[in-house]
Amino acid sequence: MASSVGDTFLSDVHVGTFGSLSNQGTLITRFIFHLQNNSSLDFFSDDQPTEDVDGDIEVARRSSLFENGVLSIEHAMSTTLPNVGLQVWRGALLMSDYLLAHSESVEGAIVLELGAGTGLVSLVAAIAAAQVFCTDTGKEVMEVCQRNVIRNSNEVTGNVLVREINWTQPFVSSLSVIYSDKLTDAFLSCLAQLHFKLNKTPTILLAFERRINFTIEDLAPVAPAYNHFMSCLETMYSTGNNGVAVSFKAEQLSTEFEQYFEYKRVKELEIWKLHMTEVQLDTVNKKSKPTCSKN
């Protein structure tokens, strides 16, 4: 969730944050994570994940005695909606935890992060990946991202390249865009084009926080952006190749993996894997619509 004042938004990650002031007037916060370098050491308790009084998952955390990783991330404290990429959001920390918990899935791989914002997830991916392309758009976001990559270059082993990609233009896309219907549409449409350009199907992971609002129209708490994302899964997206479209199937992954960063893993945090299937446009009406599954 995020706090908002007027037309500005503040990520819950930054509430109570104490960082150092950068030369650009932004903050630099140390994000500490914990890695198990020696498999003979049991940094976790044997307790299974439990729920707190709010129904949020309480995952066992490593003892502070074993703090052995720090990423120093420059970020803004509050921004307008178009500049939320200048902040760190809980979805980024969830994705970072997932990559650390499943490091074998990116070990030695080429990773493309779309909508990287401050670059935190790209830096975490580069702990195991061989090459990471950290992409976003906007002058200020790109400058902050580049400084974060330079600042943390000694903390990762993979090579990280910062590149600008505007995912409202052809052949571009983004992660964690499920707060805007327009960006969600552009994200899925451009993933289809990415699939065609690569001539292969990449592993696509999407992490976000389902944002619930009370609306006068519904007179109930709803998540309109999330609902729009789910409805988009029933749409065929052009690949840019005449006669070929892509359909999506979304698989919701469990969030009960180890927690390496300090944040509250609320029940609204979700991580999904998207699967793409090529469809001949002249056979679309003969095929069933893609489905959604939960683990």
Side-chain angles (χ1 to χ4, degrees), residues 62-78:
R62 298 181 188 272
S63 165
S64 60
L65 294 175
F66 299 102
E67 294 173 355
N68 60 354
V70 177
L71 293 174
S72 298
I73 301 297
E74 179 184 341
H75 61 87
M77 276 300 292
S78 73

PDB file of all heavy atoms in Angstrom, residues 62-78:
ATOM      1  N   ARG A  62      16.101 -14.147   9.039  1.00  0.00           N
ATOM      2  CA  ARG A  62      17.425 -14.477   9.530  1.00  0.00           C
ATOM      3  C   ARG A  62      17.800 -13.567  10.703  1.00  0.00           C
ATOM      4  O   ARG A  62      17.393 -12.428  10.780  1.00  0.00           O
ATOM      5  CB  ARG A  62      18.467 -14.311   8.408  1.00  0.00           C
ATOM      6  CG  ARG A  62      18.217 -15.237   7.238  1.00  0.00           C
ATOM      7  CD  ARG A  62      19.292 -15.046   6.178  1.00  0.00           C
ATOM      8  NE  ARG A  62      18.940 -15.786   4.986  1.00  0.00           N
ATOM      9  CZ  ARG A  62      19.274 -17.052   4.781  1.00  0.00           C
ATOM     10  NH1 ARG A  62      19.940 -17.699   5.698  1.00  0.00           N
ATOM     11  NH2 ARG A  62      18.924 -17.673   3.673  1.00  0.00           N
ATOM     12  N   SER A  63      18.616 -14.097  11.597  1.00  0.00           N
ATOM     13  CA  SER A  63      19.115 -13.309  12.712  1.00  0.00           C
ATOM     14  C   SER A  63      19.967 -12.163  12.205  1.00  0.00           C
ATOM     15  O   SER A  63      20.674 -12.279  11.207  1.00  0.00           O
ATOM     16  CB  SER A  63      19.947 -14.198  13.643  1.00  0.00           C
ATOM     17  OG  SER A  63      20.710 -13.416  14.514  1.00  0.00           O
ATOM     18  N   SER A  64      19.907 -11.033  12.918  1.00  0.00           N
ATOM     19  CA  SER A  64      20.708  -9.882  12.520  1.00  0.00           C
ATOM     20  C   SER A  64      22.203 -10.175  12.623  1.00  0.00           C
ATOM     21  O   SER A  64      23.029  -9.448  12.088  1.00  0.00           O
ATOM     22  CB  SER A  64      20.360  -8.671  13.395  1.00  0.00           C
ATOM     23  OG  SER A  64      20.624  -8.964  14.755  1.00  0.00           O
ATOM     24  N   LEU A  65      22.574 -11.267  13.316  1.00  0.00           N
ATOM     25  CA  LEU A  65      23.978 -11.635  13.413  1.00  0.00           C
ATOM     26  C   LEU A  65      24.547 -12.060  12.065  1.00  0.00           C
ATOM     27  O   LEU A  65      25.760 -12.100  11.881  1.00  0.00           O
ATOM     28  CB  LEU A  65      24.142 -12.800  14.413  1.00  0.00           C
ATOM     29  CG  LEU A  65      23.808 -12.497  15.866  1.00  0.00           C
ATOM     30  CD1 LEU A  65      23.907 -13.762  16.702  1.00  0.00           C
ATOM     31  CD2 LEU A  65      24.767 -11.442  16.423  1.00  0.00           C
ATOM     32  N   PHE A  66      23.643 -12.358  11.110  1.00  0.00           N
ATOM     33  CA  PHE A  66      24.104 -12.877   9.834  1.00  0.00           C
ATOM     34  C   PHE A  66      23.825 -11.905   8.694  1.00  0.00           C
ATOM     35  O   PHE A  66      23.671 -12.303   7.559  1.00  0.00           O
ATOM     36  CB  PHE A  66      23.451 -14.235   9.554  1.00  0.00           C
ATOM     37  CG  PHE A  66      23.793 -15.269  10.592  1.00  0.00           C
ATOM     38  CD1 PHE A  66      22.874 -15.591  11.578  1.00  0.00           C
ATOM     39  CD2 PHE A  66      25.030 -15.888  10.604  1.00  0.00           C
ATOM     40  CE1 PHE A  66      23.187 -16.532  12.539  1.00  0.00           C
ATOM     41  CE2 PHE A  66      25.346 -16.824  11.560  1.00  0.00           C
ATOM     42  CZ  PHE A  66      24.427 -17.153  12.540  1.00  0.00           C
ATOM     43  N   GLU A  67      23.755 -10.610   9.002  1.00  0.00           N
ATOM     44  CA  GLU A  67      23.611  -9.613   7.954  1.00  0.00           C
ATOM     45  C   GLU A  67      24.883  -9.620   7.111  1.00  0.00           C
ATOM     46  O   GLU A  67      25.969  -9.370   7.613  1.00  0.00           O
ATOM     47  CB  GLU A  67      23.378  -8.225   8.548  1.00  0.00           C
ATOM     48  CG  GLU A  67      22.048  -8.124   9.281  1.00  0.00           C
ATOM     49  CD  GLU A  67      21.888  -6.801  10.014  1.00  0.00           C
ATOM     50  OE1 GLU A  67      22.858  -6.027  10.004  1.00  0.00           O
ATOM     51  OE2 GLU A  67      20.824  -6.564  10.580  1.00  0.00           O
ATOM     52  N   ASN A  68      24.757  -9.924   5.837  1.00  0.00           N
ATOM     53  CA  ASN A  68      25.977 -10.015   5.036  1.00  0.00           C
ATOM     54  C   ASN A  68      25.792  -9.499   3.618  1.00  0.00           C
ATOM     55  O   ASN A  68      26.536  -9.848   2.724  1.00  0.00           O
ATOM     56  CB  ASN A  68      26.501 -11.450   4.994  1.00  0.00           C
ATOM     57  CG  ASN A  68      25.501 -12.417   4.387  1.00  0.00           C
ATOM     58  OD1 ASN A  68      24.369 -12.043   4.086  1.00  0.00           O
ATOM     59  ND2 ASN A  68      25.910 -13.651   4.194  1.00  0.00           N
ATOM     60  N   GLY A  69      24.798  -8.668   3.404  1.00  0.00           N
ATOM     61  CA  GLY A  69      24.620  -8.049   2.104  1.00  0.00           C
ATOM     62  C   GLY A  69      23.932  -6.707   2.250  1.00  0.00           C
ATOM     63  O   GLY A  69      22.962  -6.587   3.005  1.00  0.00           O
ATOM     64  N   VAL A  70      24.433  -5.710   1.556  1.00  0.00           N
ATOM     65  CA  VAL A  70      23.839  -4.371   1.619  1.00  0.00           C
ATOM     66  C   VAL A  70      23.828  -3.769   0.226  1.00  0.00           C
ATOM     67  O   VAL A  70      24.831  -3.796  -0.492  1.00  0.00           O
ATOM     68  CB  VAL A  70      24.630  -3.438   2.568  1.00  0.00           C
ATOM     69  CG1 VAL A  70      24.032  -2.032   2.541  1.00  0.00           C
ATOM     70  CG2 VAL A  70      24.644  -3.978   3.977  1.00  0.00           C
ATOM     71  N   LEU A  71      22.682  -3.242  -0.169  1.00  0.00           N
ATOM     72  CA  LEU A  71      22.574  -2.459  -1.390  1.00  0.00           C
ATOM     73  C   LEU A  71      22.174  -1.046  -0.999  1.00  0.00           C
ATOM     74  O   LEU A  71      21.166  -0.846  -0.303  1.00  0.00           O
ATOM     75  CB  LEU A  71      21.540  -3.063  -2.342  1.00  0.00           C
ATOM     76  CG  LEU A  71      21.899  -4.422  -2.947  1.00  0.00           C
ATOM     77  CD1 LEU A  71      20.740  -4.979  -3.747  1.00  0.00           C
ATOM     78  CD2 LEU A  71      23.149  -4.325  -3.813  1.00  0.00           C
ATOM     79  N   SER A  72      22.952  -0.073  -1.398  1.00  0.00           N
ATOM     80  CA  SER A  72      22.663   1.324  -1.087  1.00  0.00           C
ATOM     81  C   SER A  72      21.879   1.913  -2.252  1.00  0.00           C
ATOM     82  O   SER A  72      22.417   2.077  -3.347  1.00  0.00           O
ATOM     83  CB  SER A  72      23.962   2.098  -0.860  1.00  0.00           C
ATOM     84  OG  SER A  72      24.668   1.575   0.244  1.00  0.00           O
ATOM     85  N   ILE A  73      20.614   2.226  -1.989  1.00  0.00           N
ATOM     86  CA  ILE A  73      19.706   2.640  -3.057  1.00  0.00           C
ATOM     87  C   ILE A  73      19.283   4.090  -2.885  1.00  0.00           C
ATOM     88  O   ILE A  73      18.720   4.466  -1.852  1.00  0.00           O
ATOM     89  CB  ILE A  73      18.456   1.733  -3.095  1.00  0.00           C
ATOM     90  CG1 ILE A  73      18.855   0.273  -3.316  1.00  0.00           C
ATOM     91  CG2 ILE A  73      17.486   2.206  -4.174  1.00  0.00           C
ATOM     92  CD1 ILE A  73      19.549   0.004  -4.635  1.00  0.00           C
ATOM     93  N   GLU A  74      19.545   4.873  -3.909  1.00  0.00           N
ATOM     94  CA  GLU A  74      19.074   6.256  -3.943  1.00  0.00           C
ATOM     95  C   GLU A  74      17.618   6.266  -4.380  1.00  0.00           C
ATOM     96  O   GLU A  74      17.229   5.563  -5.320  1.00  0.00           O
ATOM     97  CB  GLU A  74      19.924   7.067  -4.917  1.00  0.00           C
ATOM     98  CG  GLU A  74      19.508   8.525  -5.040  1.00  0.00           C
ATOM     99  CD  GLU A  74      20.319   9.271  -6.080  1.00  0.00           C
ATOM    100  OE1 GLU A  74      21.417   8.790  -6.451  1.00  0.00           O
ATOM    101  OE2 GLU A  74      19.849  10.333  -6.537  1.00  0.00           O
ATOM    102  N   HIS A  75      16.799   7.066  -3.722  1.00  0.00           N
ATOM    103  CA  HIS A  75      15.370   7.097  -4.044  1.00  0.00           C
ATOM    104  C   HIS A  75      14.766   8.407  -3.567  1.00  0.00           C
ATOM    105  O   HIS A  75      15.341   9.120  -2.740  1.00  0.00           O
ATOM    106  CB  HIS A  75      14.637   5.926  -3.375  1.00  0.00           C
ATOM    107  CG  HIS A  75      14.725   5.950  -1.870  1.00  0.00           C
ATOM    108  ND1 HIS A  75      13.836   6.633  -1.081  1.00  0.00           N
ATOM    109  CD2 HIS A  75      15.630   5.398  -1.022  1.00  0.00           C
ATOM    110  CE1 HIS A  75      14.162   6.489   0.189  1.00  0.00           C
ATOM    111  NE2 HIS A  75      15.256   5.751   0.260  1.00  0.00           N
ATOM    112  N   ALA A  76      13.577   8.707  -4.077  1.00  0.00           N
ATOM    113  CA  ALA A  76      12.815   9.865  -3.598  1.00  0.00           C
ATOM    114  C   ALA A  76      11.945   9.423  -2.427  1.00  0.00           C
ATOM    115  O   ALA A  76      11.661   8.238  -2.248  1.00  0.00           O
ATOM    116  CB  ALA A  76      11.950  10.419  -4.720  1.00  0.00           C
ATOM    117  N   MET A  77      11.505  10.373  -1.621  1.00  0.00           N
ATOM    118  CA  MET A  77      10.649  10.048  -0.477  1.00  0.00           C
ATOM    119  C   MET A  77       9.170  10.068  -0.836  1.00  0.00           C
ATOM    120  O   MET A  77       8.381   9.304  -0.325  1.00  0.00           O
ATOM    121  CB  MET A  77      10.925  11.011   0.673  1.00  0.00           C
ATOM    122  CG  MET A  77      12.100  10.588   1.516  1.00  0.00           C
ATOM    123  SD  MET A  77      11.899   8.955   2.276  1.00  0.00           S
ATOM    124  CE  MET A  77      10.576   9.277   3.451  1.00  0.00           C
ATOM    125  N   SER A  78       8.764  10.972  -1.697  1.00  0.00           N
ATOM    126  CA  SER A  78       7.384  10.974  -2.171  1.00  0.00           C
ATOM    127  C   SER A  78       7.388  11.605  -3.556  1.00  0.00           C
ATOM    128  O   SER A  78       8.218  12.464  -3.858  1.00  0.00           O
ATOM    129  CB  SER A  78       6.439  11.726  -1.225  1.00  0.00           C
ATOM    130  OG  SER A  78       6.629  13.114  -1.306  1.00  0.00           O
TER     131      SER A  78
END
